[in-house]
Structure formats: C-alpha cells, structure tokens
C-alpha cells in the first residue's frame, strides 16, 4: 500500500492493524523462545559429558599419585646403579605427568611440587646410603678376619697365660667394633663406642709392644676412610632422611588423592545441581512463555476495543470543539470532562487551557486598549516634558510640553536625539551636573533651571523627564540660608549662655574656696571640677556640630567599601599620584560606621596625596591578623614626617603641611573615630621616604542572643536624642524604662517610690550639674540598685566608693544594646 493510501485509512484501522501485527510478532517470539530453551537443555547434556571427562581426568591423577607413592620405596631396595637410574626415570616421568595434570590448580600444583622435592631428596640419599653401607661391610669383614686370628691364638697350647688374656682382650675389643658396625640405634652405637674406648684403655695400660701393635691394627681397620662410629651414625641419619622422604611422598600422594576425590565429588554435585536447576527453569520458562503468549493475544484484543471506543471517539469530539473555537465560538465546551492523566485527558486539559487563554487574550486586548488611551491622555497632559528614546538614542516619542519647557523657537526643525533637542534650547548644563539622586540640572541665561532625569529600560532605550524647578531652587536656597542663620544664632546663644554659667560657677566657687577649709573646700573643688568637665563637654559638642556626626556602627564589609570608593579616591588624588588597593578575595567584616570610615579613608588619602610633591604612589591594603583584628593600612612614598611632627600628628589643630594650610583636625578626627570604634591608630613615618598609617579594628562580633532582664530602669540625659536611644536600648533588654531630661528630674525620680533597679546617667548634665552626684545618690541610698555611667569621653578614674564598684559599670556614648548587655553582665 502506498503512503497516500495509508494516510486515507482511519486511526481505528491503523491501530487495529498494528495490534494484530503485535500479536503475530508476540506469538513468533514465544515459538522461537520455546525452541531456544530446548536447545539449552541439549547444551546442558553436553556440559554433563564434559564434566564426566573432567572426573575421569581427576581419577587418572589420583591413580598416578598412588602409583608414585608405591614405586618410591622400591628405590631403597635397589642396589645396582642401572636399576636405580631406570626406576628413577620412571618416577620422574610419573611426576611430570602429574604436573601437567595439575596445571592451573594452585593447591594441586603445590602438592606435586612437594612430592617432586621429596623424590629429589630420596634420589640424592640412595647413592650415599649404599656407599656408606659398603664401607661398613668392608670394615666388618676385616674385623671378622681379626676375630678368627685372635681365636686361633687363644687356642694355641704354647701361649702363656698373659698372652691368652691379652688375645682375649683383643678379641673382645674387635667384637665391640663389630657390634658398632652392626648397631641400628644411636644408643647402641654410643654404648659400643664407650665399651671400645674402655677396653682399649685397659689393654694399652699393661700391653707389650706386640699387643700394642695389634691394638693399632684394629684402630687402622675401623678407620679406613672415616671412623666406623661416624659411618654407622651417618648410615642411621641417611636412613632417617630416606624414611622422611618416603613419608612426605606418601603424605602428598594421599593429599593428591584427597583433592582428586574432592574435585570428583564437587563436580558431580555441581553437575547434578546444575541439571536439576536448569531443567526446573526450562520447565518454568516454557509455561511462562505459553502464558505470556496468551496474555499478549488478550492484550491485543482489549487494546483494539479500547482504542476504537475511547481514543478515536474522544479525538473526534476534541477536533469538533477545536474547529468551533477557532471559528470564534468562545462558548464552545466539551460535553464530558475527563480527569485522567493519559493523552486523551491531557488533550481535554489542553483544550480547556486553550479556551481559557483565548478568553484571557480577549480581556487583555480590551485592557491594553484602555491603558493605551490612559497613557496617551497622561502623556499629552502631564505638566513635565516626556521623551522616549530607543537603544540607539533616537527619539521615538515626545509630548507637546517639551517645546514650552525648553523654550524652543517657533519653527524649530525636528531632531533625532535628546542632545540635539537640548542644543536647540537656551539651557546649558550647570557645573553641578549630576546630583546624588541622579538628576542633571540645566540653566538658561535668564535664570530658569531645568531638571532632567533619565530612566533606562531593561531592554534598552530610556524615558527622559524634563521638570521646571526654578521656583523650587529659589525657595530651597532661601530656606537653607535661613536655617544656617537660625542655627548659628541658636548655637551662639546656647554656647554663650552655657559658658557664662560655667564661668560664673567657677568664679563663685573660687571666691568661696579662699576662705573654705576641710570638707567644704573639697565640695567647692568638686563643683569647680564638675563645671570644668561641663565646659569640656560643651566644647566637644561644639566640635561635633562643626565637624563630626553620631557614630552608627554596623556590620560592614571593608573590602567592598574600598572597591566602591576606588573611583572617588582616584578623582580626589592628583593625576601624578597612582593608587593601588590590595585586599583579600573574600569579605572582611568589622562593626564600624561605614560613613565615618569612608571619611577617614578619604582624609588619609588626601593627606597622603598632599605629602607627595610630584609623582608618587599610594597603597591601601586590608589584612586580617591571626588574633582576628582587621588592619587597614594607607601607605605613601611622600616626604614623610619628622619625629617631632609624628609626636603631635593626632593632636587637634596641629598641622605639619609645608605651606602652612590645613586645620589640623584631619588625623585628630580619624584617631577619635578609630578609638571610638574600639580600635587603635598607629603612624609610622620616615622623612623623605613616606608614611604608613595603620587603622586597627576589632573583628565583627557574631550575632548572639541578647539576655533579657527584668526591673525598672531610670535614664538621665539632657540630650533628647541620646536619651531616647538609651531608653530604647534598655527596653530591648527587657527593662521598664522611665526617663529624666535634666539633673533636677533625675534627682526627683530617685526620691520617688518605687526605687529603680538600674540607673543609667550621662556624666555631663545641664548647667553645672554632674551625673556623678546622681550615681552616688542611687548607689548610697538603694543597696539593690545598679548604676551605669555614660559619656562621650569617660574619665580615667571613677568617682565612687570601693564598696559600690561591684554594682557600677560605664559605657561610651552613643550607647548600644550590645554595650549595655555587656556592662550589665559584669555587675
């Protein structure tokens, strides 16, 4: 059938044809598998025959080993060398056959190797044993000759009694030697040897020269090549070695027989198990194949019915619904909703999603039309000028307000970019081109100020907003001027009033001090000291107003801050000075005020740049030391400082600039910031070589849970902002907090009930009063009350008694929750 004819067939026909073909293929696979299993059974039979041949080979191995163990002892009974050589060749041939049979079997090869070693030892022993036996037999024959001679001499009638006794002793000596030659144990050899020595010694003790010659003749007889005793001992030792070799041969033969028997038994058992298991599997496989063929046929029939009554029918319904929906009938729905997850169910879900998307698209189209109408209305009626540009900078759209705001002349030609549009206007970019918020300001010769802001699109292009800010800038300038005048007047009045009070207090107490003695004099001096401390505090506040801010320490990454300042530092330095920043790859955290740190770095870099006469180099580096502290180093190769200048470098109003300029507050402010942050500042300088300033900060503490406290707390401070901050910190720690804004309010609060559990007081209060008086009053009058002193510059010594030091602590201002928690933990 051609492709066109096949495409005209319905889905039902094609699916039924495919399922029928599947059934035929499944039946064919079952038949082929059945035939294959039959062949596997025949293969098992073949394996059975191969295993039998292996068993036969094992039996042959056992037979050869048994034959070898029987032939080896026969070598000991052979005397002619020809017979021994022939039998030895046959034994070695048998061992060679055993080695060939044992190839590939480590245990069997080891036994055969041991058997070969034993045969080698036996073959080496036999010639030695035969030679020793021949030597012993020769000595034995010679001794028999001597015995016969001595017996004849003893029976001679002419012999004297001494001669007969001597010949009898010689006969006994020869018999001891013969006994040694025929001994078969080490004990008997030792006994015969001992008897021989004793008899020989007795004979020689009374022997005539003739008898002594006969003794020497016996000695020569038993000492031909070696002494008779050594020969007999060696003969016994060689016999033992031969027996040992035979024992080893028999042992390895038995082991080989045992291994062969084990292999035969294992092969037989393995074969029987394999045959039983294979037959069972083959029988099971045959039945499984028959069942699978029946199931496959059933599945094919069921699949055909399922496809015809489910798939095709639902496909037809979906196709009809899709055609109606495509024709614009949004009310079209499928009559039946399926929840199944098969392909038909997915088609139903896809149709519902498609229909919902079509409805959503209609709604979005209506919404977009309304939004376009609203955008056009806003775009044309907004009081600011709006320009929309493409990524290339070309103007895509602009409202009518642009021409009026930019005061463009009538008949001005159309332009392509915003820059060309500004070029046609009378506005020019002001020197303060970009503000902190990203605005640009343009000003015309008539004094009109135009504010321009660019908002880029993510995909390119931008929106430009033009705003008239002339009136706002005039109002802002006037307001700033008024605020400066008001602030200056307020500060001047407050400072004059406070210093007047301080000087009046000092002057009055000095007059009283001239005539006062004892406790009164001490109280007057204490008042004078408090007034002086108050004057110092006032001076510090004045300096803070002029040049400092409240520190707001936070967890800061110094490395990130340096990289962010790099461009600013390069702009602040002369072009002849190069800047290098060396920092670790990862973050370096410290708890500091980032704004004050930036100011300190900028101050140090500016000082370093002014210390370089022509060209030079400045390096800023950050390192983390082993103790956890962070070192920020600013080093330059300028003219450096002398030892005298280095000594006063951090003092206020001291300057070492060669031109005499500068306020002398730069390094003093940096030093104060570093110490207030819990760190240290170190300056190393060599004249004409350079200066190295090191700012050492403690590491950022890990965030820990703050311990909650209970009780009433009283906070006393004449600075409203510091008072509120301290109260909030104590409330965070769990206290019920009340406040007093001056010395009188704090004194009154200490008189009222209930008594506070904690008093937190500033040391420099209003007028000539000191916080020490309130702290001492709280500690003296209330034994359970704890006290904390706070100040921007804590004194070196505390003005409280030794008995109350366990309930007293002090903290630097501005206070923080962590600092208060640490102080409370120690009291």
């Amino acid at each position: 059938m051609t492709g066109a004819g096949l495409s005209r067939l319905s889905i039902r026909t094609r699916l039924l044809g495919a399922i029928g073909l599947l059934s035929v293929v499944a039946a064919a696979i079952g038949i082929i598998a059945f035939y294959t299993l039959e062949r596997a059974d025949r293969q098992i039979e073949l394996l059975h025959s191969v295993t039998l041949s292996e068993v036969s080979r094992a039996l042959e191995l056992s037979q050869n080993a048994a034959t070898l163990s029987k032939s080896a002892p026969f070598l000991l009974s052979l005397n002619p060398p020809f017979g021994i050589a022939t039998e030895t060749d046959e034994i070695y041939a048998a061992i060679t056959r055993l080695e060939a049979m044992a190839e590939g079997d480590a245990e069997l090869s080891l036994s055969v190797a041991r058997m070969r070693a034993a045969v080698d030892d036996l073959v080496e022993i036999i010639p030695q044993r035969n030679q020793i036996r021949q030597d012993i037999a020769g000595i034995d024959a010679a001794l028999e000759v001597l015995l016969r001679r001595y017996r004849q001499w003893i029976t001679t009638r002419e012999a004297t009694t001494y001669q007969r006794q001597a010949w009898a002793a010689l006969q006994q000596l020869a018999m001891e030697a013969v006994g040694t030659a025929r001994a078969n144990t080490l004990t008997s050899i030792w006994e015969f040897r001992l008897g021989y020595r004793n008899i020989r010694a007795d004979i020689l003790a009374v022997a005539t020269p003739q008898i002594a010659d006969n003794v020497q003749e016996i000695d020569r007889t038993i000492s031909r090549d070696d002494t008779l005793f050594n020969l007999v001992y060696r003969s016994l030792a060689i016999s033992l070695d031969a027996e040992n070799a035979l024992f080893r041969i028999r042992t390895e033969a038995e082991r080989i027989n045992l291994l062969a028997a084990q292999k035969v038994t294992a092969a037989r058992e393995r074969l029987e198990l394999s045959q039983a298991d294979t037959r069972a599997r083959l029988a099971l496989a045959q039945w499984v194949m028959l069942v699978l063929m029946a199931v496959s046929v059933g599945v094919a029939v069921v699949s055909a019915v399922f496809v015809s009554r489910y798939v095709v029918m639902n496909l037809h319904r979906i196709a009809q619904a899709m055609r109606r929906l495509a024709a614009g009938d949004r009310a079209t729905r499928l009559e039946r909703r399926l929840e199944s997850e098969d392909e038909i169910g997915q088609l139903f879900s896809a149709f519902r999603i498609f229909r919902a998307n079509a409805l959503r698209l209609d709604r979005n189209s209506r919404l977009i039309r309304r939004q376009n109408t609203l955008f056009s209305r806003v775009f044309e009626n907004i009081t600011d000028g709006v320009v929309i540009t493409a990524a290339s900078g070309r103007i895509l759209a602009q409202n009518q307000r642009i021409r009026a705001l930019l005061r463009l002349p009538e008949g001005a030609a159309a332009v392509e970019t915003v820059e060309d549009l500004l070029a046609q206007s009378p506005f020019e970019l002001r020197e303060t081109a970009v503000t902190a918020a990203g605005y640009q300001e343009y000003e015309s010769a008539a004094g009109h100020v135009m504010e321009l802001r660019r908002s880029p699109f993510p995909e390119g292009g931008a929106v430009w907003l033009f705003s008239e800010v002339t009136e706002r800038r005039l109002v802002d300038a006037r307001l700033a001027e008024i605020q400066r005048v008001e602030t200056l007047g307020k500060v001047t009045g407050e400072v004059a009033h406070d210093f007047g009070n301080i000087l009046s207090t000092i002057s009055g107490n000095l007059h009283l001090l001239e005539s006062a003695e004892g406790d009164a004099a001490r109280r007057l001096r204490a008042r004078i000291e408090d007034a002086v401390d108050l004057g110092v505090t006032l001076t510090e506040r004045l300096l803070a107003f002029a040049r400092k801010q409240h520190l707001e320490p936070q967890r800061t990454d110094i490395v990130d801050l340096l990289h962010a300042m790099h461009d600013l530092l390069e702009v602040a330095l002369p072009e002849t000075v190069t800047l290098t920043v060396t920092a670790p790859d990862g973050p370096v955290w410290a708890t500091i005020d980032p704004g004050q740190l930036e100011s300190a770095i900028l101050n140090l870099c500016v000082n370093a740049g002014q210390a370089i006469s022509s060209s030079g180099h400045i390096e800023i580096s950050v390192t983390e030391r082993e103790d956890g502290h962070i070192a920020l180093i600013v080093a330059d190769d300028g003219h450096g400082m002398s030892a005298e200048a280095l000594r006063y470098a951090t003092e206020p109003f001291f300057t070492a600039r060669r031109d005499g300029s500068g306020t002398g507050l730069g390094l003093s402010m940096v030093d104060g910031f570093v110490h207030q942050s819990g760190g240290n500042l170190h300056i190393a300088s060599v004249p004409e070589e350079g200066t190295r300033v090191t700012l050492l900060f403690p590491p950022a503490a890990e965030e820990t849970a703050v311990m909650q406290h209970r009780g009433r707390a009283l906070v006393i401070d004449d600075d409203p902002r510091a008072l509120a901050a301290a109260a909030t910190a104590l409330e965070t720690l769990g206290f019920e907090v009340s406040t007093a804004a001056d010395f009188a309010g704090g004194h009154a609060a200490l008189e009222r009930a209930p008594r506070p559990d904690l008093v937190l007081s500033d040391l420099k209060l209003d007028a000539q009063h000191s916080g020490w008086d309130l702290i001492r009053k709280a500690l003296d009058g209330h034994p359970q009350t704890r006290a904390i002193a706070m100040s921007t510059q804590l004194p070196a010594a505390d003005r409280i008694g030794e008995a109350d030091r366990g309930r007293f602590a002090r903290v630097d201002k501005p206070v923080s929750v962590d600092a208060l928690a640490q102080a409370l933990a120690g009291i």
Side-chain angles (χ1 to χ4, degrees), residues 540 543-550 596 668-669 672:
E540 292 173 352
L543 291 175
F545 170 78
R547 295 189 177 271
K548 298 182 180 180
Q549 300 176 1
H550 278 288
Q596 289 293 336
S668 176
M669 294 172 62

Side-chain angles (χ1 to χ4, degrees), residues 62 65-74 76 111 114-116 118-119 122 239-258:
S62 177
T67 302
L68 183 61
S69 65
K70 295 176 181 179
S71 301
F74 185 64
L76 296 177
S111 295
R114 290 174 177 172
M115 182 177 286
R116 174 181 282 276
V119 171
L122 185 61
S239 297
L240 291 175
D241 291 340
E243 291 296 332
N244 181 39
L246 290 176
F247 174 75
R248 288 158 54 196
I249 292 171
R250 286 193 298 270
T251 301
E252 296 303 328
E254 291 175 358
R255 184 173 295 145
I256 290 173
N257 290 333
L258 180 60

Side-chain angles (χ1 to χ4, degrees), residues 713-714 716 750 756-761 774-775 778 785-789:
L714 173 63
I716 308 168
L750 289 175
D757 299 295
L758 174 68
V759 174
L760 174 61
S761 176
L774 297 178
I775 291 175
T785 300
R786 296 177 292 174
I788 299 177

Side-chain angles (χ1 to χ4, degrees), residues 601-639:
I601 295 173
L602 181 60
N603 207 332
L604 292 176
C605 289
V606 170
N607 287 348
Q610 293 174 348
I612 298 174
S613 302
S614 55
S615 62
H617 177 257
I618 298 175
E619 181 180 6
I620 305 176
S621 60
V622 178
T623 58
E624 195 167 2
R625 299 188 175 181
E626 294 181 356
D627 58 356
H629 282 69
I630 297 119
L632 173 64
I633 303 171
V634 179
D636 65 74
D637 55 359
H639 53 70

